Structure formats: C-alpha cells, structure tokens
Amino acid sequence: MPLEPTAAAARASLARVALDRNSLYLEPCCVHTVVGAVAALVRGHPGTRTQGDRVRWAVEDLIGVWRLISYVDLDEAGGSREGPLGPDPQGLLIYGDHGHMSVSMMRGDHATAPESATVFMGYAGTWRPVEGAVKHHVSVSAHPFQVGTELTREAELDGDRLVLHGVAVIDGRPQRRVLTWQRVPAPVSAQRPAGMSVAETRPKEHSP
C-alpha cells in the first residue's frame, strides 16, 4: 500500500519544474517523458514518504466531490503566480466509485474579465490511479483536441485537501500548474441514516 505524502516536501520538489500560463494540458506525445521526470523528483526528495515508486493514498480516499480553492502557475524559481482562471477560480472535481470523473472550472470574475481571457475549462471521462498519480481518460471536453487522450496528474492528499500537479508542454519544454481542491461534504439530503438502504432513500412515486 502507498504512504500518504508529505505535501510540503513533494510540492518543494515539484516546484523545480517550470509552468506556463497559457496551457493546462499535457500533449499526449510527451506524457511519458514529462511524467517520468516529475516522478523522479518526487521519489528523490528526502522529505517525501514513499514506498517503492508510489506515494501513499488509497483509491477510496479520492472518491467524492472536490471544490477548487486554488489554481496557480509556478515560475522557474518555484514562486506561484495567478493561473489562467484569474484570482478567484471556481470549480468542482468529481471522482466516482464507478470509475467515471468530471471536472468543471470557471473564472469567478467572469463578468469583468478581459474579453480574451479564458472563462471555462472542463472535461469528463474515466479515471484510474497509477503510482501516486491519477490518469484521466477524456471522453468529452471543452477543448476538442483532448478527446481520446489520457491526462496525468501527480496527486498529493493531506486530509481533506487534494493537490493535483498538471504538466503542459510548450515548445518542447515541460511547464507546471498546481490545482488545490477541498473535499465537499455530502449534502444532508443525500445522507442516509445508518441501516437504511439506498432504495429506501429514493422519493416515493405517487399515482396521478
């Protein structure tokens, strides 16, 4: 079983990789090269707890709904700067226990954002964990070029906070973005009392 990572240590290692402000997504042809380099950074950091090649968290730890609380770029010195969705990004990430996933993100200041600004990013498909990372297979997307590709996100989990590191390749060089998510509790209406089956929580059908 993989160990829960030390978030600060992993983040410090990954900060050595540059980021680009203009692209969130990894070009398919460069996935293996870039992800291999990033994984080597994580494994090699003395403050990151690992077992073999895998950072420790279980699949069930990711299942649920996550709210976007931060979306930043990292510059070459490791400093953060505003990401492509502005100073107040908003979004939801859903990992289902059935293997499906979706992510929708938008600018919080979309009403006053410049006309040329990116306002929305999102896609849906399936997901699977692979050695401390999550792979998203894209079925539909706001960016048609992504459909049919598999995107890799290095993942750090610290309690109810999930940090995903996305890699883009611009002009042949890897560049990084960091998205931080907070777990969203299930709404009271969706929580069923102990001992009650799912069928018992469904609304009753009434005859006209």
Side-chain angles (χ1 to χ4, degrees), residues 44-189:
H45 197 287
T48 304
R49 296 193 302 274
T50 61
Q51 179 174 331
D53 290 339
R54 289 186 272 183
V55 181
R56 187 142 103 166
W57 43 259
V59 174
E60 55 267 26
D61 294 333
L62 301 191
I63 293 172
V65 180
W66 303 82
R67 179 176 59 86
L68 184 63
I69 60 174
S70 175
Y71 184 179
V72 299
D73 291 348
L74 299 182
D75 60 29
E76 294 185 3
S80 63
R81 65 191 184 213
E82 187 177 293
L85 293 178
D88 181 31
Q90 300 176 7
L92 289 175
L93 168 65
I94 302 173
Y95 285 127
D97 57 5
H98 38 59
H100 293 281
M101 62 77 58
S102 68
V103 58
S104 299
M105 302 176 292
M106 63 180 287
R107 292 185 71 105
D109 62 347
H110 58 88
T112 58
E115 187 174 340
S116 60
T118 299
V119 174
F120 178 82
M121 293 178 171
Y123 58 85
T126 58
W127 72 286
R128 61 190 178 94
V130 179
E131 298 190 353
V134 183
K135 288 184 178 289
H136 300 161
H137 182 82
V138 181
S139 299
V140 295
S141 176
H143 302 274
F145 69 86
Q146 286 187 302
V147 175
T149 65
E150 192 167 66
L151 310 176
T152 301
R153 301 289 180 258
E154 295 290 322
E156 303 170 13
L157 183 63
D158 185 6
D160 286 336
R161 186 155 294 191
L162 174 65
V163 181
L164 298 181
H165 299 260
V167 180
V169 176
I170 304 298
D171 296 329
R173 91 187 231 281
Q175 304 188 339
R176 260 205 177 288
R177 284 176 166 170
V178 181
L179 294 87
T180 303
W181 304 85
Q182 183 74 31
R183 185 181 294 279
V184 177
V188 174
S189 60

